[in-house]
Amino acid sequence: MPEPTIAIPVTSEDPKKKKEEEEAEKADGKLKEDEKAGEDLSEEDLQLKNELEMLVERLKESNTDLYRPALETLRTLIRTSTSSMTSVPKPLKFLHPHYPELQSLYETWPPSENKSLFADILSVLAMTYSDTEPRGTLRYRLLSASLAPAGSQISEPGSWGHEYVRHLAAELGEEYSARVLGESDTTAALEKDTEAAQEAMKPPQVIGTIDDLQDLAMVCATFLLRHNAEPDAVDLLEELEIVDRISELVDENTYERVCQYMIRCVNLLPTPDDRAFLRTAHMIFGQQHKFPQALALSIRLGNPELIRKDFNAPANPLMKRQLAFMLARAQIPREWIDPQMSEDGADEGESELPEDIVECLSNTHLSEHLRDFGKELGVSEPKSLEDVYKSHLENTRTSAAANVDSARGNLAGTFVNAFVNAGFGNDKLMVEAEEGNSWIYKNKEHGMMSAAASLGLSLLWDTDVGLSHVDKYTYVPEEYIKAGALLATGILNCGVRTEADAALALLGDYVENKAASLKTSAIVGLGLAYVGSHREDLLQMLVPTVSDDGVSMEIASLTALSLGFIFVGSGNGEIASTILQTLMERDDKQLEEKWTRFMLLGLALLYLGLQDGSDATIETLKAIEHPISKQAVVLVQTCSYAGTGDVLKVQEMLHHCDEHIVKPSKDEKKEGEKKDEKDAAPEEPPKDDTFQSFAVLGIALVAMGEEVGSEMAMRTLNHLMHYGEPVIRKTVPLALGLLSASNPQLPILDTLSKYSHDNDLAVALNAIFAMGLVGAGTNNARLAQMLRQLAGYYYKEPDCLFMVRIAQGLVHMGKGTLTINPFFSDRNIMSRPAVAGLLATLLAFTDAKGFVLDKYHWMLYFLVTAMYPRFLITLNEELKSFPVTVRVGQAVDVVGQAGKPRTISGFQTHSTPVRLGTSERAELATEEFIPFAPVLEGFVILQKNPGYEKEDQMKL
């Protein structure tokens, strides 16, 4: 059987070769015709052509002594043909027609050193035949290597020039994937074209092992790195699955560009590869002693061992403080950094971190820095509600405004006052109010709770003064005020660690309290105070409440949520199994309560950013018979891949969204019949579409990490808005708010403005809240104007008006100094606690009527975990703030660009401290100081540049 198959293609192919030559000649167009007409080549060209043809003839002769010099001459001619980049080098052009006969000649030679050299030259000529004979260049390159005598080395690929190396690199990738996939699809198409060539290649097909391919790739990558083609080198090694070996090749000149490119690739890679890229870049930074960059990547990987290693690597105490600031911003648990005790406590000497480092790590000075920053910007004066509402600019009729119940208005005022003056601790309504005239008493029942809790927001991060203010409300007889005070204690400790552990001491006693409101406040307060801290002692305290059958679903769910906050992204098995157990044991009636979603979120937050770490849990959830299992699966999946931009997960969520769930209201009977066929109880369907709203949020959650993904998600959400069911439509605005939190881009504002006038009030309500999220802490004037118009438009709708007020408070949050965007460090690192807070708030809005507009408006305070000052404060070596000039402008992506392009555009020069917008970047204006951090954001320690003044004197 094999004989005919070989025979047929060879005979049919021979004429084809001639045809191809004719085509090639035609392609060379005029030149060829001219040659035929009157050899119109210049004299040099003609001489070269004749010389080459003579050398080819010499290789055909029987005298073997002439081979070597002929090959050597051929090699020098090809190498020295420096022509312009645009045209084919002359020797290759003239040798093109002789390639097939040289190939057959090559087959007749016995293996020898000459044959190795011949193969090397054929490898270069094969570039001109790459479309008809796939991977010829690589094949002859490997043959040449296999024929070379043991001691000698064949020529470097680089010596044949850049184009040859690029060609070789491309073919290496193809060959490797062909071998790994078992020579399947990659070459199928090519084989059809060139069966004969393929047949000729079949016998020596597998030349060299996979290792040979990888070694050749390393050689090519070395050449590429030397010639400023870092992205090509990374891509080549990635195709051959040895990207981790690039760390052997980089040096201090190339490492930065290689790492930049690799880090930018992470968002576009599928699951295992993205981690591999981060690890490789981390390894390179470690080799080059760039600790802050390495630490930033270990935070992204969420790997305690790497974080500890990076943190303890530098010996310079200032560098250590800078790293401590980075860890504090990311809210990394302290236990990860404390040196591990070896047996018998041999590590005693190291076990205590120095005091100054502990202060940096626990964010203790955040509050005073924020207030100094406020003074610098001239916003330290408290703002009244009227300053925010500017109701004299609203076009409402005054008489109409009086109809709105004042309790609702006062409640809105509570939140606006809290958000606007957050962190400054001097607002008029609560902190500075005269005795007995506090705003708390202007609210009813549960309103009092939110009002008392607003103290915590106003005194945010100020643990000393804050506790004394809140303390007096814990002795009040009214249960609601007491509950609010407990929540306030939790809020003001959010993201700040103290030695005293006051929050735990004050709230721990109330976890077992009989009164439900005190119990929930204490539990939620603990969740907020210790968000992301992974504290084992809290685990022991709270887990029993989750599994206790006697407590209501509300308490169990909020406890699960608090545990989710504290252990966010830890993948803690004990909590996960407890929550799963509870979900299986509770009866269906309880699982159908509105509270269940928070229990599911508590479970999902444990896996935030862990990617495939949640697979086992998802399988377990699928086994639960109740409809909530679907909601849980959606939440856990999207949390696991939050901020990764994983396209497949987004598609999966879209599939969830396109199911149309029919509610059995209009034609009960017909529905009933259908349901009987499906054998399900007719009460189920109406309960079961919540998972779709989670899926919509999931799209935004997965896509929000990177720009391309966010833009595509916006278009997707637009389609959902047109064609989705009501439950999907009301969640779309929330998803938009999550996609660009604190980042008010015009297209998003216009879209939300349109949705805020939707005739479905649930959509409008969520759109108004989303406007608040998108503009949170930006003082965006256009947005403020839109909200004032909405206040006039909805003056008869108390719910919507309440929401407009909240949104106004959010837009002016912290008087424009705070952000709720979960990404920091040049939008590269996702803060897990921040995502947890945003998600919890958005989940409360998936049923706004049941939570925020009912008695549970305090859920708005979940946002506190995402609130963080948007400043750049430069510190000297004593950690005191001191001014330097910086340029602040829109961040520009310069990865892979040649030279040293500007990283910001349209900059203004300020002196620090300075506010940075979400998409802005800062750089030092002079080289007088050297920053310890690669990204100027938050707290940056500067050191005098010793070589700076000398240059100045030179100029003089």
Side-chain angles (χ1 to χ4, degrees):
M1 202 56 203
E3 257 110 69
T5 47
I6 290 172
I8 296 163
V10 170
T11 47
S12 69
E13 191 56 40
D14 271 350
K16 223 189 228 178
K17 270 278 190 300
K18 282 176 194 151
K19 269 185 215 155
E20 268 164 20
E21 267 166 53
E22 279 162 37
E23 277 167 22
E25 281 165 29
K26 275 181 205 156
D28 278 341
K30 271 213 174 90
L31 268 175
K32 282 278 158 76
E33 285 166 31
D34 292 353
E35 279 171 51
K36 281 171 191 143
E39 291 293 339
D40 230 11
L41 295 167
S42 69
E43 284 189 21
E44 295 167 21
D45 288 1
L46 219 123
Q47 191 185 344
L48 178 66
K49 185 171 194 270
N50 294 336
E51 193 176 346
L52 290 167
E53 283 174 351
M54 182 195 72
L55 290 168
V56 171
E57 288 307 313
R58 198 169 284 172
L59 291 176
K60 293 180 189 169
E61 289 168 19
S62 55
N63 183 352
T64 47
D65 300 346
L66 295 174
Y67 290 169
R68 184 83 195 180
L71 289 168
E72 295 283 357
T73 323
L74 261 178
R75 178 160 72 181
T76 13
L77 282 173
I78 293 176
R79 280 193 189 167
T80 48
S81 65
T82 46
S83 67
S84 73
M85 276 303 291
T86 49
S87 59
V88 180
K90 293 269 166 26
L92 292 187
K93 190 160 128 187
F94 296 141
L95 287 170
H96 183 81
H98 300 291
Y99 179 65
E101 46 181 327
L102 286 174
Q103 267 185 309
S104 38
L105 183 66
Y106 168 82
E107 297 297 339
T108 60
W109 283 22
S112 64
E113 197 172 339
N114 288 348
K115 187 165 181 178
S116 165
L117 180 57
F118 192 6
D120 207 10
I121 291 170
L122 278 177
S123 163
V124 181
L125 293 181
M127 289 202 295
T128 57
Y129 266 85
S130 58
D131 47 348
T132 54
E133 287 189 24
R135 304 201 284 283
T137 308
L138 177 62
R139 176 170 166 251
Y140 282 114
R141 174 86 205 170
L142 292 167
L143 280 171
S144 166
S146 62
L147 290 165
S152 72
Q153 189 58 40
I154 56 165
S155 60
E156 283 276 311
S159 60
W160 294 108
H162 206 276
E163 192 48 47
Y164 176 73
V165 177
R166 304 242 327 245
H167 216 91
L168 203 54
E171 295 191 356
L172 270 169
E174 286 173 21
E175 175 72 26
Y176 181 78
S177 53
R179 287 195 190 181
V180 171
L181 296 171
E183 199 50 72
S184 60
D185 317 334
T186 36
T187 48
L190 297 164
E191 276 174 33
K192 283 178 195 151
D193 298 344
T194 58
E195 280 169 6
Q198 207 70 17
E199 287 301 337
M201 284 166 69
K202 270 285 155 39
Q205 180 59 52
V206 182
I207 314 144
T209 57
I210 295 270
D211 290 345
D212 293 349
L213 291 181
Q214 293 183 337
D215 294 341
L216 184 54
M218 291 293 276
V219 176
C220 291
T222 314
F223 174 84
L224 291 167
L225 284 173
R226 265 199 234 111
H227 293 81
N228 299 336
E230 292 90 352
D232 298 348
V234 175
D235 291 346
L236 172 60
L237 296 184
E238 154 71 354
E239 278 191 85
L240 274 85
E241 298 180 358
I242 47 170
V243 80
D244 48 334
R245 286 176 62 187
I246 198 165
S247 56
E248 304 161 21
L249 308 177
V250 293
D251 56 15
E252 68 276 4
N253 303 318
T254 50
Y255 81 91
E256 202 162 335
R257 292 170 58 91
V258 168
C259 290
Q260 262 190 329
Y261 177 72
M262 289 180 75
I263 291 167
R264 290 292 291 183
C265 286
V266 170
N267 286 329
L268 310 170
L269 288 168
T271 299
D273 297 356
D274 54 0
R275 294 296 174 93
F277 262 48
L278 283 175
R279 278 195 204 93
T280 308
H282 175 270
M283 192 154 66
I284 295 172
F285 280 138
Q287 288 169 359
Q288 301 295 336
H289 298 298
K290 294 285 177 238
F291 303 116
Q293 288 96 319
L295 184 67
L297 293 179
S298 10
I299 292 173
R300 274 185 80 170
L301 285 163
N303 183 330
E305 282 79 45
L306 288 180
I307 291 176
R308 183 179 304 114
K309 201 178 93 197
D310 291 337
F311 180 67
N312 292 321
N316 179 345
L318 286 173
M319 175 58 97
K320 247 184 136 143
R321 288 176 190 176
Q322 183 64 65
L323 296 184
F325 279 130
M326 286 176 68
L327 292 173
R329 171 68 181 98
Q331 297 187 13
I332 294 297
R334 267 280 296 281
E335 294 67 39
W336 286 11
I337 306 141
D338 292 337
Q340 293 292 60
M341 287 290 190
S342 50
E343 66 264 21
D344 324 328
D347 215 338
E348 282 296 320
E350 286 281 297
S351 61
E352 275 303 305
L353 290 168
E355 181 115 338
D356 56 333
I357 303 269
V358 171
E359 285 196 347
C360 300
L361 272 176
S362 41
N363 260 336
T364 11
H365 297 300
L366 188 58
S367 170
E368 63 188 79
H369 279 300
L370 176 66
R371 289 177 192 179
D372 295 345
F373 178 52
K375 280 199 195 87
E376 286 284 329
L377 297 186
V379 294
S380 48
E381 282 303 299
K383 276 195 162 184
S384 67
L385 297 180
E386 192 43 48
D387 295 341
V388 178
Y389 296 161
K390 299 201 167 96
S391 42
H392 59 280
L393 298 174
E394 290 173 10
N395 47 3
T396 41
R397 291 162 292 299
T398 40
S399 59
N403 308 352
V404 182
D405 58 330
S406 67
R408 217 12 148 23
N410 287 353
L411 182 61
T414 305
F415 286 103
V416 173
N417 176 54
F419 282 128
V420 171
N421 296 304
F424 285 94
N426 59 0
D427 70 289
K428 290 275 190 285
L429 300 187
M430 293 293 306
V431 181
E432 304 283 316
E434 297 92 59
E435 201 51 52
N437 199 9
S438 168
W439 184 257
I440 294 188
Y441 301 105
K442 301 231 170 94
N443 286 286
K444 294 195 197 125
E445 304 174 355
H446 47 83
M448 289 180 167
M449 176 169 165
S450 284
S454 74
L455 258 178
L457 206 51
S458 182
L459 295 159
L460 195 55
W461 305 313
D462 183 355
T463 44
D464 308 339
V465 181
L467 289 172
S468 61
H469 268 289
V470 174
D471 192 46
K472 58 184 185 218
Y473 291 110
T474 51
Y475 304 116
V476 185
E478 283 104 336
E479 199 178 281
Y480 284 113
I481 299 181
K482 214 165 174 178
L486 296 179
L487 195 53
T489 311
I491 291 172
L492 67 85
N493 279 296
C494 179
V496 182
R497 305 284 147 80
T498 51
E499 284 302 307
D501 245 353
L504 183 55
L506 293 169
L507 300 176
D509 312 339
Y510 288 97
V511 172
E512 294 304 321
N513 200 300
K514 293 281 177 289
S517 59
L518 294 179
K519 188 166 178 156
T520 48
S521 297
I523 288 170
V524 173
L526 283 172
L528 292 174
Y530 294 102
V531 63
S533 65
H534 299 197
R535 291 271 299 261
E536 287 296 325
D537 46 351
L538 291 167
L539 176 90
Q540 309 311 327
M541 185 187 280
L542 296 177
V543 161
T545 315
V546 180
S547 49
D548 180 0
D549 281 345
V551 298
S552 66
M553 205 55 195
E554 173 184 352
I555 294 175
S557 298
L558 287 173
T559 312
L561 180 62
S562 279
L563 284 168
F565 270 21
I566 298 167
F567 287 87
V568 62
S570 65
N572 186 306
E574 189 180 336
I575 302 174
S577 55
T578 308
I579 296 179
L580 285 168
Q581 197 63 36
T582 309
L583 290 174
M584 289 172 181
E585 286 171 0
R586 294 259 170 164
D587 54 25
D588 289 2
K589 199 89 201 111
Q590 285 176 312
L591 291 181
E592 277 162 19
E593 282 185 35
K594 62 182 178 184
W595 289 103
T596 314
R597 67 193 68 198
F598 287 109
M599 186 174 281
L600 304 181
L601 180 63
L603 176 63
L605 289 178
L606 296 176
Y607 296 104
L608 190 62
L610 293 190
Q611 300 196 2
D612 45 11
S614 62
D615 292 354
T617 307
I618 289 175
E619 288 313 310
T620 318
L621 284 168
K622 285 180 180 162
I624 297 178
E625 314 261 289
H626 193 272
I628 60 147
S629 80
K630 200 159 187 182
Q631 300 173 22
V633 170
V634 170
L635 276 175
V636 174
Q637 268 184 338
T638 49
C639 280
S640 311
Y641 288 88
T644 55
D646 189 312
V647 188
L648 298 172
K649 289 286 167 273
V650 174
Q651 286 172 346
E652 227 173 289
M653 292 306 122
L654 281 170
H655 281 305
H656 285 310
C657 294
D658 64 12
E659 294 178 35
H660 287 289
I661 290 160
V662 193
K663 303 224 170 171
S665 50
K666 300 170 190 108
D667 309 324
E668 285 284 347
K669 286 175 190 163
K670 288 179 194 168
E671 285 299 328
E673 286 157 25
K674 279 184 199 164
K675 287 288 168 282
D676 292 339
E677 290 162 30
K678 284 187 193 164
D679 225 339
E683 292 92 74
E684 255 179 15
K687 291 278 182 281
D688 199 8
D689 53 7
T690 324
F691 74 90
Q692 293 189 321
S693 56
F694 298 164
V696 177
L697 284 177
I699 294 172
L701 184 60
V702 174
M704 69 182 174
E706 38 112 26
E707 278 138 37
V708 184
S710 313
E711 277 182 37
M712 291 174 54
M714 293 215 12
R715 293 185 49 189
T716 311
L717 291 170
N718 238 333
H719 292 308
L720 288 176
M721 199 65 186
H722 282 288
Y723 306 114
E725 298 286 313
V727 61
I728 292 176
R729 292 194 59 220
K730 77 173 186 197
T731 322
V732 168
L734 298 176
L736 286 171
L738 180 60
L739 261 186
S740 65
S742 288
N743 187 10
Q745 304 148 322
L746 278 181
I748 289 207
L749 291 188
D750 291 343
T751 313
L752 287 174
S753 176
K754 190 171 79 199
Y755 296 159
S756 65
H757 294 81
D758 197 277
N759 47 16
D760 177 354
L761 276 185
V763 176
L765 195 89
N766 284 351
I768 297 169
F769 178 64
M771 287 163 94
L773 286 183
V774 169
T778 59
N779 279 349
N780 188 299
R782 178 176 181 138
L783 195 49
Q785 177 56 29
M786 285 179 182
L787 289 168
R788 279 197 293 275
Q789 285 173 339
L790 284 168
Y793 182 78
Y794 283 122
Y795 72 98
K796 278 189 176 160
E797 284 289 344
D799 284 350
C800 290
L801 187 57
F802 174 69
M803 224 52 253
V804 172
R805 296 300 184 213
I806 301 274
Q808 285 177 312
L810 287 174
V811 171
H812 297 285
M813 180 193 285
K815 296 174 235 179
T817 57
L818 301 178
T819 179
I820 57 168
N821 193 300
F823 289 90
F824 61 97
S825 179
D826 245 349
R827 299 202 305 295
N828 277 331
I829 306 178
M830 178 179 82
S831 158
R832 289 173 177 173
V835 177
L838 284 169
L839 272 181
T841 318
L842 291 174
L843 226 57
F845 274 91
T846 50
D847 180 6
K849 283 258 183 293
F851 294 111
V852 181
L853 300 176
D854 193 20
K855 300 193 188 86
Y856 305 102
H857 27 73
W858 53 262
M859 290 192 169
L860 286 165
Y861 294 129
F862 282 144
L863 281 176
V864 71
T865 61
M867 288 160 63
Y868 203 83
R870 276 277 357 159
F871 51 38
L872 161 62
I873 292 186
T874 44
L875 306 171
N876 60 11
E877 297 172 17
E878 282 76 56
L879 298 190
K880 294 280 172 278
S881 167
F882 82 117
V884 266
T885 45
V886 289
R887 294 194 281 257
V888 179
Q890 286 297 314
V892 184
D893 182 17
V894 292
V895 175
Q897 289 184 17
K900 290 214 166 140
R902 282 246 166 261
T903 51
I904 56 177
S905 73
F907 59 82
Q908 295 175 322
T909 309
H910 297 282
S911 108
T912 59
V914 58
R915 181 189 185 280
L916 297 176
T918 304
S919 55
E920 289 178 333
R921 186 181 286 162
E923 51 184 46
L924 294 177
T926 61
E927 292 185 359
E928 190 178 345
F929 296 98
I930 305 169
F932 277 97
V935 178
L936 298 188
E937 206 173 282
F939 298 108
V940 177
I941 301 174
L942 300 182
Q943 195 177 29
K944 201 104 173 93
N945 184 348
Y948 180 68
E949 276 136 334
K950 290 170 192 151
E951 292 170 23
D952 269 9
Q953 285 158 4
M954 294 284 288
K955 280 178 198 159
L956 285 172

